Amino acid sequence: MSGLLAAGPAGCLRGTLPPREYYRLSPADSVTNAPRAVSAPPLRGSVGVRVYDTPGIYGSGALVYRVGTTSYGAYPSREWAIPLGEMLGALTQEIVQRRGLTSGRVAFDAPDSKNQPYEWRGTVREFDEVDDPTAVSASVSLGAQLVRVADDSVIWSGVVRESQAVVETRSIESVVAALSAAASRAIARLADEAATDLRRLAAAGARGR
């Protein structure tokens, strides 16, 4: 699949634009069906998940493609059915609840989310279909911060990147599936890294007392 080729007809003054197509992310079974963490969670309070920040082209609502490393475009008729930041927030709630980060609940966009002891604040850095001369892949990079709400202090932050090959290169459904898989793994990695780092800090603090 080539994003440039797919986007080309939109520039033609004759004829009609293709009908709009809408897609949404779905959690990867390999992540959501993984065994629950057995280590004691480092946090004891509930975590409210904010809508992810989607800067620049990622907030347009369109599926984004990249050719090489610097050339970007957006499909004119292929869009997210729900804003990307909201889908990632819902995905985060489902995945983080299983990763052993907190003994409390993980709540996305709940009415009382502002009153949770902790917040998960995510940012999209990459969310691309990547078109290379010989292959198509999905590239996802997400950043996250865990914030203690009482004093608005960052207790952990991290950035991860995941990629996934697209096997059926002429199928946009395969691209969306690859983006879903890469995003699910990225969120799981962020949650696991946060839990590991917070446990290490707690252990170091206990030894220092």
Side-chain angles (χ1 to χ4, degrees):
M1 177 186 295
S2 169
L4 290 177
L5 290 176
C12 182
L13 297 178
R14 292 175 293 181
T16 59
L17 290 174
R20 288 184 175 179
E21 303 170 6
Y22 296 95
Y23 301 91
R24 64 183 301 167
L25 300 173
S26 59
D29 291 341
S30 60
V31 173
T32 57
N33 293 337
R36 289 182 179 270
V38 295
S39 300
L43 299 180
R44 295 185 179 181
S46 299
V47 177
V49 179
R50 283 192 180 183
V51 174
Y52 277 57
D53 288 335
T54 51
I57 197 170
Y58 300 113
S60 69
L63 274 70
V64 173
Y65 61 83
R66 171 162 51 94
V67 181
T69 58
T70 59
S71 180
Y72 284 80
Y75 284 106
S77 60
R78 291 167 171 168
E79 303 177 21
W80 295 116
I82 299 170
L84 179 59
E86 294 184 21
M87 287 192 293
L88 289 170
L91 200 61
T92 296
Q93 173 185 296
E94 184 169 355
I95 292 172
V96 172
Q97 190 71 71
R98 303 182 60 90
R99 306 306 291 193
L101 179 61
T102 181
S103 59
R105 63 193 291 259
V106 179
F108 166 61
D109 204 24
D112 60 345
S113 61
K114 299 292 185 184
N115 299 321
Q116 308 297 336
Y118 302 98
E119 278 190 345
W120 177 286
R121 301 175 184 175
T123 301
V124 173
R125 299 165 68 96
E126 292 180 30
F127 215 87
D128 310 332
E129 169 197 316
V130 182
D131 299 325
D132 290 322
T134 60
V136 177
S137 62
S139 180
V140 172
S141 178
L142 302 176
Q145 293 181 331
L146 269 172
V147 177
R148 185 167 49 235
V149 175
D151 56 1
D152 198 38
S153 61
V154 177
I155 61 172
W156 177 87
S157 64
V159 176
V160 300
R161 182 179 179 275
E162 287 282 345
S163 60
Q164 176 81 21
V166 176
V167 178
E168 297 180 33
T169 58
R170 294 189 177 275
S171 166
I172 192 65
E173 289 80 7
S174 293
V175 171
V176 173
L179 287 167
S180 294
S184 296
R185 293 198 306 271
I187 293 168
R189 279 182 58 194
L190 286 168
D192 291 347
E193 290 179 12
T196 297
D197 290 348
L198 290 172
R199 288 190 189 99
R200 185 182 302 117
L201 288 172
R207 288 193 299 269
R209 289 199 295 267

